[in-house]
Amino acid sequence: MSDWALNIRAGLARAYARTVGATREPSWVVFDVLLPLLGVAAYIFYYRALGADPVFEGFVVLGGAMTAFWLNVLWGMAAQLFWEREVGNLQLFMVAPMSRMALLAGMALGGLFTSAVRALSTLVLGVLIFQVHIMMADPLALVAVFTLTMLAVYGMGMALSSLFLMYGRDAWNISNLLQEPVYLMSGFYFPVRELGMVVSAVASLIPITLGLDAMRQLLFGELAGGLLPVTVEVVILALQAAIFIWLAAFSLDRMEQRGRREGRLTLRWQ
Amino acid sequence: MAVRDHLRTLRLAAWLGWQIESNWARPALFLLYSFIRPIATTLILVIMYLIIKQDVSSDPAFFSYVYLGATFYMFVSSVVFGITYVIHADREHYQTLRNIYISPVSLYVYIIGRATGKVALAALAVVISMAFGILVLGLPFDPMLVDWPLFAIAMLLGLACLVSLGLALAGISMLTAKHSTSINEGVGGLVYLLCGAVFPITVLPAWGQAIGLMIPVTYWLELIRRSLYPGEGIAMLGGLQDFGDLTILSFLLASTLVFAALSLAMFHLADRNARRKGKLDMITTY
């Protein structure tokens, strides 16, 4: 079997474990589909209590849907190799004759499945229940921006996963740290431009910031108060995707070598 | 089992919980990590407020209402979810839940002990968040006006209620796969939405208000706001202006007692089912 075929099979096998695992424990449908909508509803009612323009409710629904992917990147990608080591799977992955990148790509693919279900249900139910008005002028551009955002964000998750592998419980705490603070910095519930140019520029290093901003502009037009023109954001996202995926391959190789030298690949419960 | 044994379990479990929480980093770094997340959560609401209202002084009573609700809601996140996560961490991560089961301690007391560190951290985060609000955002606050006895009683009852809710969810976590974080997020969202944490429950539809009035956290947050800001201003916002402080306190007491009884029953039922179905050492890390 060629290396390509082997790696594709390995990636699909890793994705299969996640998707089939999810279907064998159907309780996730309730937790991941219905309950996240409640948090979104809270922010919508908060905007209503403040007397905000209804377009802000659309921002909340979009941001709430995108949290699914960010959470998956943090917990299902960045922290996953650390978690695999904790439960003893990592050493099995290391002795298998596949590329580690195929493993990470499979994790991303499997994670995308449950995250997409959650995001799509939040988006559809949010739009229907709260009567969010969307002005989608260019659906193809939206699909392109979404795809690039996912490539960049999951590339970032893949890069972080090897970094987190070198840490102990820090990995858990760093993931925690990157949750709500990123919702704030990346403008999940309001236009990121409101934070000022300096903060927005720093936040743009996280791909989901520009991805969200571009999607907001494509869905809500002028009312979105975009940070940069969509075309510029698309170019930056494409660059970020390439850089993060290269960084993921590079850091995974370096961390694996370092992990072998320092005996960290089988270290548990530290 | 003697009370002395329970107290020893509580103390040792609290020590263990604190070590797990804190000994991965230097104390200063650990404190930084502990506070950034809750403060960021509050700041999201502050930014949303400032985008729409432009300035804190444009509606100081409403800002205080929102800020206090968001700040004290940190206790809900830390206590309830801290308790729930113990099951997941001990079952799947450390794989010690079965060892705890066969040791001569009460699992119930052990779980409460493990969450004690979270309560302490939440309390510190609330103090820092309040200081940030007062010093940086101009949150109006006068310690001489605070009704401290009401505040103390409300905090005591509120924490008892949150521990009860956490134990009920911990019971559910015993029966489910690795979804305890989703359960936390979902229940957190439900309580956040319906208890008027950051907006008056009068904004909700009638059925939402009715459910909100059955959740003890609604009364707890109302009493916290009234005790920290006595007077007409903030009490007129929450939708409970027809009730006096003592009436709300009695609602909180009654609902806390009901919640405590329900959570005990749920925990024991879940515990029994988990043992019968062999879920105590389930590992679901796919």
Side-chain angles (χ1 to χ4, degrees):
Chain A
M1 188 184 296
S2 72
D3 282 355
W4 270 101
L6 176 73
N7 287 332
I8 288 171
R9 281 186 65 183
L12 288 176
R14 187 63 189 91
Y16 175 86
R18 285 199 162 179
T19 46
V20 168
T23 54
R24 284 186 183 158
E25 180 64 41
S27 59
W28 71 273
V29 176
V30 177
F31 301 132
D32 277 7
V33 173
L34 295 178
L35 297 182
L37 201 63
L38 300 168
V40 168
Y43 281 126
I44 286 178
F45 282 115
Y46 177 54
Y47 267 135
R48 285 185 184 175
L50 288 171
D53 188 292
V55 75
F56 282 90
E57 298 176 17
F59 299 165
V60 171
V61 171
L62 177 64
M66 293 302 287
T67 58
F69 297 107
W70 184 243
L71 287 173
N72 186 247
V73 163
L74 286 183
W75 299 105
M77 291 296 299
Q80 187 66 27
L81 286 187
F82 157 74
W83 191 250
E84 301 283 13
R85 184 183 63 186
E86 292 291 302
V87 296
N89 287 342
L90 187 67
Q91 48 199 307
L92 304 177
F93 292 147
M94 289 296 171
V95 295
M98 65 192 173
S99 154
R100 317 289 180 248
M101 283 299 281
L103 175 77
L104 288 177
M107 271 162 48
L109 194 65
L112 262 170
F113 165 70
T114 46
S115 304
V117 171
R118 174 176 167 154
L120 200 63
S121 59
T122 303
L123 201 62
V124 171
L125 291 173
V127 166
L128 291 176
I129 294 170
F130 298 106
Q131 302 288 300
V132 171
H133 183 60
I134 288 174
M135 298 164 281
M136 195 174 1
D138 192 348
L140 278 180
L142 187 69
V143 171
V145 166
F146 176 78
T147 308
L148 273 177
T149 306
M150 289 301 106
L151 278 173
V153 169
Y154 276 86
M156 185 185 190
M158 289 159 81
L160 287 175
S161 68
S162 50
L163 192 66
F164 280 21
L165 183 59
M166 298 313 294
Y167 294 104
R169 281 172 291 145
D170 312 41
W172 162 260
N173 287 286
I174 294 169
S175 281
N176 253 329
L177 192 69
L178 292 175
Q179 207 166 299
E180 276 79 1
V182 169
Y183 294 166
L184 170 68
M185 292 267 293
S186 297
F188 270 69
Y189 303 110
F190 49 80
V192 69
R193 200 174 65 176
E194 299 286 349
L195 293 172
M197 284 313 286
V198 175
V199 179
S200 303
V202 174
S204 298
L205 296 174
I206 305 166
I208 205 150
T209 307
L210 292 180
L212 252 175
D213 194 67
M215 282 188 265
R216 254 195 311 264
Q217 291 187 61
L218 291 168
L219 287 171
F220 303 104
E222 291 289 313
L223 296 170
L227 180 66
L228 297 167
V230 173
T231 45
V232 177
E233 291 182 334
V234 164
V235 171
I236 298 175
L237 277 171
L239 282 173
Q240 285 181 328
I243 290 169
F244 278 124
I245 290 171
W246 174 81
L247 199 63
F250 174 77
S251 59
L252 190 61
D253 183 52
R254 294 296 294 267
M255 293 302 165
E256 185 185 334
Q257 295 307 322
R258 193 174 152 191
R260 285 178 193 272
R261 272 202 314 273
E262 297 177 2
R264 286 173 180 243
L265 295 180
T266 53
L267 199 61
R268 296 167 77 184
W269 300 315
Q270 57 170 322
Chain B
M1 199 174 284
V3 173
R4 200 178 54 183
D5 292 334
H6 285 320
L7 287 176
R8 191 179 58 190
T9 305
L10 196 70
R11 181 170 56 82
L12 291 173
W15 177 84
L16 174 65
W18 180 254
Q19 293 300 318
I20 291 173
E21 287 289 325
S22 66
N23 73 3
W24 58 273
R26 289 187 298 278
L29 182 65
F30 165 68
L31 286 176
L32 187 69
Y33 272 78
S34 305
F35 301 137
I36 285 179
R37 188 180 175 188
I39 287 175
T41 310
T42 308
L43 278 180
I44 290 173
L45 296 162
V46 171
I47 299 289
M48 289 162 84
Y49 178 94
L50 291 176
I51 289 170
I52 305 302
K53 296 274 188 182
Q54 304 299 323
D55 193 353
V56 171
S57 58
S58 63
D59 195 348
F62 189 79
F63 182 75
S64 304
Y65 182 96
V66 171
Y67 199 84
L68 287 177
T71 300
F72 279 84
Y73 195 81
M74 288 179 203
F75 277 110
V76 181
S77 318
S78 298
V79 179
V80 176
F81 311 150
I83 289 177
T84 311
Y85 196 74
V86 170
I87 296 293
H88 179 72
D90 280 13
R91 185 182 68 191
E92 310 214 7
H93 188 187
Y94 299 111
Q95 296 168 23
T96 51
L97 191 61
R98 53 192 157 188
N99 304 79
I100 303 292
Y101 252 90
I102 59 174
S103 66
V105 300
S106 159
L107 182 66
Y108 209 72
V109 176
Y110 167 78
I111 293 173
I112 294 173
R114 281 283 302 273
T116 306
K118 294 265 187 193
V119 178
L121 275 176
L124 261 172
V126 165
V127 169
I128 288 177
S129 184
M130 285 296 289
F132 180 80
I134 293 162
L135 299 174
V136 180
L137 301 171
L139 180 76
F141 182 76
D142 183 350
M144 300 304 288
L145 293 176
V146 173
D147 186 343
W148 290 110
L150 181 63
F151 178 76
I153 295 169
M155 279 304 298
L156 199 67
L157 282 174
L159 286 177
C161 167
L162 297 179
V163 169
S164 303
L165 183 58
L167 286 166
L169 291 177
I172 294 172
S173 291
M174 280 191 216
L175 299 171
T176 60
K178 58 171 185 177
H179 309 303
S180 62
T181 48
S182 299
I183 298 174
N184 291 345
E185 198 187 340
V187 173
L190 188 69
V191 176
Y192 195 71
L193 172 67
L194 297 172
C195 76
V198 294
F199 53 81
I201 57 170
T202 46
V203 180
L204 294 168
W207 58 266
Q209 293 182 42
I211 298 172
L213 290 173
M214 288 190 283
I215 300 175
V217 178
T218 307
Y219 302 114
W220 174 58
L221 288 176
E222 179 70 14
L223 283 174
I224 293 294
R225 290 187 182 106
R226 287 188 185 195
S227 60
L228 293 178
Y229 288 89
E232 288 295 296
I234 213 161
M236 298 303 288
L237 287 173
L240 296 169
Q241 58 270 31
D242 294 338
F243 304 109
D245 295 351
L246 279 178
T247 311
I248 295 178
L249 197 60
S250 60
F251 287 162
L252 177 60
L253 178 63
S255 52
T256 298
L257 288 173
V258 171
F259 251 62
L262 279 175
S263 90
L264 266 170
M266 277 178 73
F267 189 85
H268 284 297
L269 188 68
D271 174 34
R272 191 178 160 83
N273 276 333
R275 283 199 256 186
R276 286 169 71 176
K277 293 179 179 175
K279 295 201 168 193
L280 287 181
D281 53 358
M282 175 168 66
I283 294 177
T284 53
T285 50
Y286 44 82

